[in-house]
Structure formats: structure tokens, C-alpha cells
Amino acid sequence: MDRATKRSDHNIGASRRRGGRAGRRAPVTIGVFLLLAPIVAGCAENDQSTLSPKSSASDEIARLWWVMLIASAVIFGVVLVLLFVAVLRRRGPESPPLSSGRGGLWIPAVGGIVVPIVVLAGLFALTLRTLPKTSPASASATGLTIEVVGRQWFWDVSYPGKDVRTANELHIPVGVPVNVEVSSADVVHSFWVPELNRKIDMIPGQTNRVTLEADQAGTYRGQCAEFCGLQHAHMAFYVVAEPRAKFDTWLARESNPAAPPATPELERGQQVLLGSACVYCHTIDGTNASGKIGPDLTHLASRMSLGAGLLPNSKGYLAGWILDPQHFKPGNKMPGTDLSGSDLQALLAYLESLR
């Protein structure tokens, strides 16, 4: 066999060996990628993250999460190393059994019993330390109470004693502990603002409490964290934390009834609404629309979203929602409304005036 042929065979063999090693590494690489992908995805989206605390309560939760993650990673790493050593260990026919010798029994006992007990006891103690920070504050310590009722699928929000009812948004003053009382009108929901505090269940016939206290101004996204039906994933809300003066201004504006129509077009739009079935489901304070089934519309135009965080609150989306809400949110309780083009435009103008 000439040198060229030998060199060719050698190159082919080396290539096959490299290909074999690459083939063996491929599943490992894919596995690592699949494990890291959720973490990377979670870090990329930071507007609803427990690891982005904006209050003392959520800061305690994030700290506990990191401690548990690091402890779990260390223990998992040690177990993998021991498993790797056991697999690679070559025992001859005359090798003594693992249980023989002075250290043969206490090493497995310490590694398998004592260490887990110590680690779990430490994590349990840290959890107990976190509980008081995330528990509801006493009634005397809170400066404001908000009632939130979960419904399929939106959030009914009211401020007792302030004559304010809104939907899918909570406004709170910065640095003030706010007592949030939650319940449900139908099935079990779960109220959760990851950046401000823990999740809490909303159970029919029962009122639960959680305290929200934002360290800084901002808009924090909340979510229903308990499967509640077809549109569970589209049941979000926003907590708007703002300086006290700005909050007081918002609260005073929200307590006012809807402004009367200022133009003929707005008056026509109001008549379109009041002459439809909308009045049996929605309330507009200052009119005869007094339904309690759907969200309060008194100050609809001042809100950020439609459909519980599903759509931006813009004229185009509002028109689509009125005509065919099932297209955007199948299974919701609102039927479509059949309107002519001129009536729809007048109605949209009126709704956009409700600020």
C-alpha cells in the first residue's frame, strides 16, 4: 500500500474518531442547552420576576430563592461527582467491600443522613425567618385597604370608603403598606405580584389578605397563578405605584362620576351605549348603566389595557373588542355587539372620553 493510501486511511480514521466524539458530545450539549433555556428565557423577561424585588417582602423571597438554588446546586454537584467516581471505579476481585474498615460505615451515614438533615433544617429555618416579612401587616400598620375580587376573567377592584371601583389595575402610594383583601366570585384564583410579595389564593366565600408596599414608583405586572379556566393565561393586572400626591390626585379623579357628554357626537355615543344590553353588565357612574357582571367603565379610557392585560387600550383594539370579544378571548362572558359604522364610531368616541 503506497504512502498516499495510508495517509488517506489514517485521515479517515481520525475523522471518524472525531465524529464519534462529537456525536457523543452532542446529546450532552443539547441537554445542557435544554436545562439552561428556561433560565435564560426567564432572565430575558424581567417585568414579572420574583428575582427583581421592589419591596422588602419580595427581597426576602428572592434571597431565600437564591440560597435554596445555590444549596441545591452544590448538593446536586456533589452527588454527580460521587456517582461519576462510582461508575469509573474499578474494583478488583480482592478489593475489600465498602462497608469494611473504620470509615466504611460512618462515611455513607454522614453523607446520606446527617448532611441532608443539616441542610434541610437550615433551609427550613430560613423559610421561617422569611414568613413574617411576607405575612399581612396589622390593620393599624396599613394606610389603605383595597378589595380585589377575582372573576372569570378579570379583576374587580374597589377602594372601600373612597367610592372608587375600577378593573384590572391597582394604584398604590409608594412607601405605604397597603392591605389588599382578596376573594373570588366564581372559582379559585390566585393573586400574585412577583415583584412586590408572595402569591395568595382567592377562594369563593373566603377573604384572604396580603400587604403590598412598593419601595419605588413603577408599574408592576400581576398574574393569576391558579388555573381558573380557559382564559387563565389571559388574566393579568397591573399595580401602579406612584408618589403620594399623584396617587391622591388619581383617587380623587376616580371617585368622580363620568363626565357628561360635551359634544353631540359624545351624546350620541352615550345613547348608543345606554340603549344596548351593555347597561345590564357594566356600570358607568352618573348614568343608568349599573350592571355588576362586567368591569366598571366609569373611567375606562384612563386604563392601560383591555381584557385584563390582553390588549392595549387603544381605539382600534377597543373597536375589535366591542364587535367580537370572543375572537380575542374565547370563552369570556361578553357577547359581541352588532353596530353600524356610525354608531360604533360614536360609541368609541364616548368611551374614549371616560377618563
Side-chain angles (χ1 to χ4, degrees):
M1 182 180 298
D2 57 16
R3 292 182 179 178
T5 304
K6 290 181 179 179
R7 190 179 300 111
S8 177
D9 292 343
H10 174 76
N11 292 339
I12 292 173
S15 177
R16 288 177 176 174
R17 289 192 295 274
R18 287 195 299 270
R21 289 194 295 270
R24 289 191 295 272
R25 287 196 299 267
V28 177
T29 304
I30 294 173
V32 172
F33 174 78
L34 291 176
L35 288 174
L36 293 178
I39 299 177
V40 174
C43 294
E45 186 63 41
N46 202 34
D47 66 345
Q48 191 175 312
S49 173
T50 302
L51 305 182
S52 179
K54 298 299 188 300
S55 70
S56 58
S58 58
D59 187 63
E60 290 290 332
I61 295 173
R63 186 178 293 113
L64 178 62
W65 187 92
W66 280 114
V67 170
M68 288 188 170
L69 175 66
I70 294 171
S72 302
V74 171
I75 294 172
F76 184 65
V78 171
V79 172
L80 284 182
V81 170
L82 294 177
L83 181 62
F84 184 72
V85 171
V87 171
L88 296 183
R89 189 171 183 269
R90 297 290 185 266
R91 295 179 56 191
E94 297 181 358
S95 298
L98 290 176
S99 60
S100 65
R102 294 181 178 180
L105 292 177
W106 71 267
I107 292 179
V110 171
I113 300 177
V114 177
V115 171
I117 290 177
V118 171
V119 171
L120 292 177
L123 295 177
F124 181 68
L126 288 174
T127 302
L128 292 180
R129 176 182 173 276
T130 304
L131 286 177
K133 301 287 187 179
T134 61
S135 298
S138 62
S140 59
T142 57
L144 179 69
T145 295
I146 303 176
E147 294 179 354
V148 181
V149 179
R151 300 179 185 270
Q152 291 177 312
W153 287 272
F154 73 97
W155 308 86
D156 199 353
V157 182
S158 60
Y159 291 69
K162 310 294 184 181
D163 196 23
V164 171
R165 181 172 175 243
T166 183
N168 305 319
E169 284 185 20
L170 287 75
H171 285 243
I172 63 174
V174 174
V176 176
V178 177
N179 175 45
V180 181
E181 298 182 350
V182 302
S183 60
S184 173
D186 35 56
V187 300
V188 176
H189 301 280
S190 185
F191 181 92
W192 187 31
V193 191
E195 293 175 286
L196 297 182
N197 209 330
R198 63 186 178 92
K199 64 183 69 172
I200 184 170
D201 285 337
M202 309 173 76
I203 302 171
Q206 178 176 326
T207 300
N208 291 331
R209 297 172 58 240
V210 66
T211 300
L212 300 182
E213 182 178 359
D215 293 337
Q216 55 187 275
T219 301
Y220 308 109
R221 192 177 189 273
Q223 180 69 40
C224 179
E226 181 74 25
F227 180 73
C228 55
L230 179 63
Q231 290 298 329
H232 161 69
H234 293 150
M235 189 171 174
F237 62 95
Y238 294 96
V239 176
V240 181
E242 48 200 359
R244 186 71 200 218
K246 190 174 181 180
F247 168 76
D248 289 340
T249 300
W250 174 87
L251 196 64
R253 186 181 69 245
E254 290 288 314
S255 64
N256 293 327
T263 67
E265 182 185 26
L266 297 183
E267 186 174 356
R268 180 186 175 191
Q270 184 188 63
Q271 293 305 314
V272 170
L273 187 143
L274 297 180
S276 69
C278 301
V279 297
Y280 301 111
C281 296
H282 299 284
T283 291
I284 297 180
D285 196 14
T287 73
N288 63 2
S290 56
K292 302 296 183 182
I293 298 175
D296 189 292
L297 303 182
T298 304
H299 300 286
L300 171 67
S302 65
R303 298 172 197 162
M304 293 183 291
S305 69
L306 303 170
L310 177 62
L311 301 170
N313 189 2
S314 65
K315 185 175 182 180
Y317 281 112
L318 181 58
W321 181 263
I322 292 172
L323 295 176
D324 189 9
Q326 300 301 319
H327 172 76
F328 297 101
K329 200 166 186 176
N332 80 85
K333 310 300 184 183
M334 180 175 169
T337 305
D338 187 15
L339 296 173
S340 66
S342 58
D343 283 349
L344 177 62
Q345 292 303 318
L347 176 60
L348 290 173
Y350 173 67
L351 293 177
E352 288 193 312
S353 72
L354 299 178
R355 297 188 176 275

